Amino acid sequence: MLLSGKDVAAAMQEQMKKDVEALKAKGVNPTLGIIRMGEKPGDLSYEKGATKNCNEVGVAVKNYVLPEDAPQSELLKVIKQANEDKSVHGVLLFRPLPKQCDDNEARSLLLPAKDMDGITDGSMAGIYSDTGAGFPPCTAESVIKILDHYKVEIAGKDVVVLGRSTVIGKPVSMLLLKKNGTVTVCHSKTKDMAKKVQAADVVVVAMGRAWSVGKECFKAGQYVIDVGVNAKPNGEKGTCGDVRTEEVEPIVAGISPVPGGVGSVTSANLVTHVIDAAKKTAK
Ligand code: NAP
């Protein structure tokens, strides 16, 4: 069975429309601030998609655009402005930043309460301490949203996460632990990875290695979430995941496809974060 992220995103969108309506009735107009430096095609395309997703549910977008060669001081000024602007509930800062800018200093200035993609240390601390401070990275949280939508039980299950990056592997491991999974995190130095994957009930694959795991790793009854987004290694157009979905899907209980899986939920999740941030101010 394919665990369609598009279906999850569609369900989230329905809920978001209702939440925005309720917020607007209280006089709160949920707004996402997008800070972009330069005109990188990837950033422009993500911005276009994010704006469309926001507008579809009634969330407004405020754009802060700086030239690519703007100094760090200008970037910090804009982040401070977005922090202080009460009409902006959440902020998305496009990274990587141009080379003259200091990523750590920029991230540290953003308020965790407005950190829509979990890039600040405050948001990371929130995940580890369970205090609810900040927001988890959208992609990591999307894994949980897909599992929840398809009612995949995590409590008491053996979960294996392939990858330990700050943006996906580590936060998703903590979120799965919070749901009472027994979590094993694998990385490039892990021995007998296939054996660990085969023993798991749920597998989250986030290595960034196109089509690198296939039927040799999986068994019946497992749920697999493929986070990878890679160029197809055979030269064909389009993207593919880390898992060879075609050969794994007939074996396992469920697997999220690429595209149409985690990526679709990630985009919707960003908008959910803006609405959640706006709800906090409404309180
Ligand atoms: P990353 O920073 O490169 O981290 C990759 C992780 O995988 C590292 O921890 C690395 O181990 C581990 N790894 C790499 N090769 C391995 C191997 N052969 N065996 C075991 N572990 C291995 O990548 P990332 O930023 O986490 O992204 C992972 C994937 O998710 C990418 O394809 C990326 O494009 C995709 N992604 C998707 C979305 C979405 O919305 N769907 C969003 C963001 C990223 P070490 O730590 O030992 O090096």
Side-chain angles (χ1 to χ4, degrees), residues 46 138-140 142 161-170 185-190 193 205-210 212-213 226-231 240-242 258 261-267:
Y46 194 88
C138 291
T139 305
S142 297
V161 177
L162 306 185
R164 58 172 166 180
S165 71
T166 313
V167 70
I168 303 172
K170 281 180 195 162
V185 184
C186 298
H187 46 80
S188 63
K189 306 286 185 292
T190 299
M193 195 173 81
V205 190
M207 297 187 293
R209 303 266 163 188
S212 58
V213 279
D226 188 355
V227 185
V229 179
N230 315 290
C240 71
D242 289 355
V258 180
V262 175
S264 311
V265 184
T266 298
S267 323

Side-chain angles (χ1 to χ4, degrees), residues 92-283:
L92 178 69
L93 169 64
F94 280 118
R95 295 155 72 230
L97 298 168
K99 57 181 183 315
Q100 75 278 14
C101 294
D102 178 344
D103 185 70
N104 273 336
E105 195 185 12
R107 286 190 308 116
S108 307
L109 188 60
L110 183 61
L111 289 175
K114 292 196 177 189
D115 174 17
M116 297 295 93
D117 200 15
I119 64 168
T120 60
D121 292 345
S123 285
M124 282 296 158
I127 297 176
Y128 287 81
S129 65
D130 263 355
T131 54
F135 290 84
C138 291
T139 305
E141 197 183 30
S142 297
V143 171
I144 308 296
K145 295 226 162 142
I146 295 178
L147 293 168
D148 282 351
H149 179 90
Y150 289 100
K151 304 198 175 0
V152 178
E153 185 65 51
I154 298 298
K157 300 293 179 185
D158 290 326
V159 186
V160 167
V161 177
L162 306 185
R164 58 172 166 180
S165 71
T166 313
V167 70
I168 303 172
K170 281 180 195 162
V172 86
S173 304
M174 285 300 122
L175 296 173
L176 290 159
L177 192 59
K178 195 171 161 185
K179 290 183 80 70
N180 297 315
T182 302
V183 184
T184 303
V185 184
C186 298
H187 46 80
S188 63
K189 306 286 185 292
T190 299
K191 282 186 204 152
D192 297 329
M193 195 173 81
K195 221 166 151 184
K196 290 177 174 60
V197 172
Q198 268 208 333
D201 301 303
V202 176
V203 186
V204 177
V205 190
M207 297 187 293
R209 303 266 163 188
W211 287 334
S212 58
V213 279
K215 60 183 177 190
E216 70 285 355
C217 291
F218 297 95
K219 65 173 186 197
Q222 292 177 312
Y223 286 92
V224 184
I225 305 295
D226 188 355
V227 185
V229 179
N230 315 290
K232 286 186 179 172
N234 60 5
E236 278 176 19
K237 274 192 180 164
T239 54
C240 71
D242 289 355
V243 184
R244 296 192 293 277
T245 315
E246 268 181 37
E247 61 178 64
V248 173
E249 199 232 322
I251 303 172
V252 297
I255 177 167
S256 65
V258 180
V262 175
S264 311
V265 184
T266 298
S267 323
N269 214 16
L270 172 70
V271 191
T272 307
H273 284 178
V274 182
I275 295 168
D276 288 346
K279 280 182 189 167
K280 283 181 191 164
T281 64
K283 274 184 193 162

